[in-house]
Amino acid sequence: MRFSEAFKELQFGRGKRFALSGEEAYLKDYFIDQAKKLNSNMEFFSYSLPEDESEVTEVLGSDSVFGDRFILLRDFDKSKKLIDQVKTFSGLLIIVLTEDVNLKSSAMTNLLGHCTHVQCSKMSSYGSDYPTWLISKANQKKYLFVDDAEALLFKKIGPDMHELSTSLEKLMIYKEESKAITPDDVEKVIGTTLSHSTYDLLDNLLRKDVKKALQCFESYAQRGEDLGELVWFLGHYFEKMCRLILLHEGKTSPEGMADITGLPVFLIKTRYLPRVVSLGRDRLMKQFDLLCSIEVGMRSFTGDPRILIERFIFSFDSL
């Protein structure tokens, strides 16, 4: 069953057992996250096989004192001993299969006969679904693609939802005021080499990888790009990172963080939040203050302004 059809089964409670297959990890994570939201009243268990096989056997075969249960089983096809228990489980069950699973084997045929099979495939096999997905994600944040800019973005990136999410985020930051994304915007923001973009510089700073951050900055400087614009970008983004750590300490949900910062929930969960938590509030605030002082200093500095940014990058070596 196609992902969109299976998702409706989940939304309207028409299915209780789902088996997720395919190579698109983004769709699998999205399906699981939505299942958690829709069934937040259920007792939740998450296991990986075959490591947790004995515990899974016990949980599937026992009654819960808390009511309905939601069980997530990752890499299910690495174990062949639980299919009979799966068929009789009465709660909500999501099974994640590995990418190289043989769906035609007798064991998987038996399993899929008792589950809703969710195909989490690359959307390229579905024609125009990727551009449609981009338009939907942009509209959720009140952004608008103009003159088929979404088709150009897909043409540049290809069927990679992680990279498409990142690229869409770049465009949203770039067009934060007008909220209308044009083909020219896509060419300007996505047209540069991704491995040396300003976003990679930010990413390497958050990971405290000074060597790679310096390489990104050197590439940026050699292209003759505006260093003042780079400092503005970093300041804009570090402000968002500071907000994330404060919201995290205030127990705000990732969805709430997304509403306040304008960053995609998926990227908050998988990229930004783990890194800002690793840095810690005090270190992050210290770096933000240093960046603000550099922005002020560049207005009166008469030497090579690159030294100011390089000093900022090297400061991450001591964190």
Side-chain angles (χ1 to χ4, degrees):
M1 183 180 290
R2 283 181 52 167
F3 181 88
S4 58
E5 297 167 351
F7 188 64
K8 290 180 181 177
E9 296 283 311
L10 174 69
Q11 283 181 305
F12 296 108
R14 294 196 290 260
K16 286 293 184 181
R17 293 188 291 271
F18 297 90
L20 279 55
S21 71
E23 69 277 22
E24 187 54 84
Y26 180 97
L27 290 179
K28 293 177 182 178
D29 290 341
Y30 181 79
F31 193 92
I32 293 166
D33 285 344
Q34 293 302 308
K36 289 180 180 178
K37 291 179 183 178
L38 292 167
N39 300 277
S40 58
N41 60 320
M42 287 187 171
E43 185 182 10
F44 178 70
F45 299 86
S46 178
Y47 301 104
S48 294
L49 297 173
E51 296 89 342
D52 302 325
E53 189 171 280
S54 59
E55 189 172 351
V56 172
T57 300
E58 183 178 342
V59 172
L60 287 175
S62 63
D63 294 327
S64 172
V65 296
F66 298 102
D68 289 338
R69 289 170 295 170
F70 173 9
I71 297 180
L72 171 65
L73 302 179
R74 295 186 180 275
D75 299 338
F76 182 84
D77 47 296
K78 291 183 178 179
S79 172
K80 303 294 190 295
K81 301 178 181 179
L82 299 170
I83 292 178
D84 288 338
Q85 285 184 283
V86 163
K87 291 189 290 188
T88 59
F89 181 68
S90 60
L92 176 62
L93 182 67
I94 293 182
I95 294 167
V96 182
L97 304 174
T98 61
E99 288 187 22
D100 57 354
V101 61
N102 180 9
L103 295 175
K104 296 181 180 179
S105 69
S106 58
M108 289 300 103
T109 301
N110 185 15
L111 171 70
L112 296 178
H114 295 83
C115 297
T116 298
H117 182 199
V118 188
Q119 296 173 333
C120 301
S121 304
K122 296 286 185 183
M123 285 191 191
S124 56
S125 61
Y126 298 158
S128 63
D129 278 9
Y130 274 108
T132 301
W133 178 81
L134 285 167
I135 292 171
S136 174
K137 288 295 179 183
N139 288 345
Q140 287 176 14
K141 296 295 182 181
K142 304 189 184 306
Y143 284 78
L144 179 68
F145 279 107
V146 179
D147 297 332
D148 296 324
E150 74 284 351
L152 177 60
L153 177 58
F154 174 56
K155 182 179 179 180
K156 283 182 170 291
I157 302 300
D160 185 330
M161 294 191 80
H162 289 80
E163 194 57 56
L164 284 170
S165 296
T166 302
S167 298
L168 180 57
E169 178 196 359
K170 297 175 185 180
L171 288 163
M172 287 178 173
I173 297 296
Y174 181 68
K175 298 306 293 281
E176 193 167 27
E177 293 186 6
S178 70
K179 298 190 182 298
I181 301 171
T182 69
D184 286 343
D185 297 326
V186 175
E187 290 288 358
K188 182 173 182 179
V189 176
I190 312 300
T192 57
T193 304
L194 289 173
S195 61
H196 294 301
S197 71
T198 51
Y199 292 85
D200 288 314
L201 171 56
L202 170 71
D203 192 50
N204 285 313
L205 289 175
L206 292 176
R207 290 191 291 109
K208 297 185 288 186
D209 192 330
V210 172
K211 182 178 179 180
K212 288 185 178 179
L214 284 169
Q215 291 173 348
C216 291
F217 173 63
E218 182 63 24
S219 176
Y220 183 93
Q222 286 180 354
R223 293 198 304 267
E225 302 282 359
D226 187 341
L227 297 182
E229 187 174 320
L230 174 62
V231 173
W232 175 87
F233 166 83
L234 291 174
H236 184 76
Y237 240 91
F238 266 85
E239 179 186 355
K240 291 180 181 292
M241 297 302 106
C242 289
R243 285 185 176 178
L244 281 183
I245 192 68
L246 292 173
L247 291 168
H248 172 71
E249 292 177 354
K251 309 297 184 183
T252 303
S253 68
E255 291 74 19
M257 295 178 188
D259 289 337
I260 293 170
T261 63
L263 298 170
V265 175
F266 173 67
L267 291 176
I268 287 175
K269 289 181 178 179
T270 60
R271 180 177 300 177
Y272 295 126
L273 191 55
R275 290 173 188 171
V276 299
V277 169
S278 176
L279 279 171
R281 181 178 62 175
D282 291 343
R283 291 173 177 172
L284 199 58
M285 293 295 184
K286 178 182 177 182
Q287 296 308 103
F288 181 55
D289 289 342
L290 178 57
L291 196 56
C292 291
S293 68
I294 290 173
E295 185 175 13
V296 173
M298 285 184 70
R299 299 170 190 169
S300 57
F301 188 67
T302 58
D304 186 345
R306 288 181 299 179
I307 190 64
L308 300 177
I309 301 175
E310 289 168 350
R311 175 184 170 230
F312 173 70
I313 293 173
F314 273 114
S315 70
F316 282 81
D317 212 11
S318 60
L319 297 181

